[in-house]
Amino acid sequence: MAEQLSFDLPARPALGRADFMVSPGNAVAVAMIEGWHRWPGARCALIGPTGAGKTHLAHVWANLAGGTVMAASALQDADVPSIAACPIAVEDVPQIAGTPAETALFHLANLCAAQAVPLLLTGAAEPAHWSLTLPDLASRMAALPVAPLSPPDDALLAGVLAKLFSDRQLAPRPDVIPYLVGRMDRSFAAAGRIVSALDAAALGQQRPITRPLAAEVLDSDAGHSP
């Protein structure tokens, strides 16, 4: 059978609080996000590995606080005083290390502090390891209270896979998710990569998402594991 042409249609992620699964590895972070009005100095760092849910929780927080979410890389060309007028979540702060955007973040942090505007910052590691080169900014970031997200346990990884399939309106066979959880690289990034690959394979080959197809995708994904 000839392969069907496939189209890389974007998934529609559900980013509401009800869509975020709580487990022992993220319960502290969820509690800190929901208790944002009690943050010391009205600021917090949300940290965790790629795909752990930082973007999801940043949007949950923005909805709770009446704020907005932006990428740190966009700060360099942004109107910082306007951004500081309402609660703001700045994602992937380590990506601006050593760039002029550090100065913009420094000004944003100062303005938010002066106006008591809540500020949420995200990154993979502890803020002290964000490799920021502006000394005053680095010291202030290192002092942030931290909301940590841990790598997933079995139950959370299964839940994340189910959510990723749902985001893409996919219905895998019931034994697919347990099969994946027992064999895949244990990371959120791998979960996203595998679900995307299964979506493409099922569409391209006009096959349902079954254990045999999952096995093929896992074999192909093995080269992407750290």
Side-chain angles (χ1 to χ4, degrees), residues 45-47 93-94 97 121-132 141 144:
L46 178 63
I47 65 169
V93 173
L121 302 145
T122 78
E126 293 273 350
H129 301 293
W130 284 354
S131 300
L132 299 171
M141 295 298 100
L144 290 171

Side-chain angles (χ1 to χ4, degrees), residues 70-81 83 90 95-108:
M70 70 178 298
S73 58
L75 279 172
Q76 186 172 337
D77 300 317
D79 182 350
V80 173
I83 296 170
V90 180
Q95 291 187 4
I96 66 169
T99 74
E102 282 196 36
T103 299
L105 178 58
F106 180 67
H107 291 319
L108 176 63

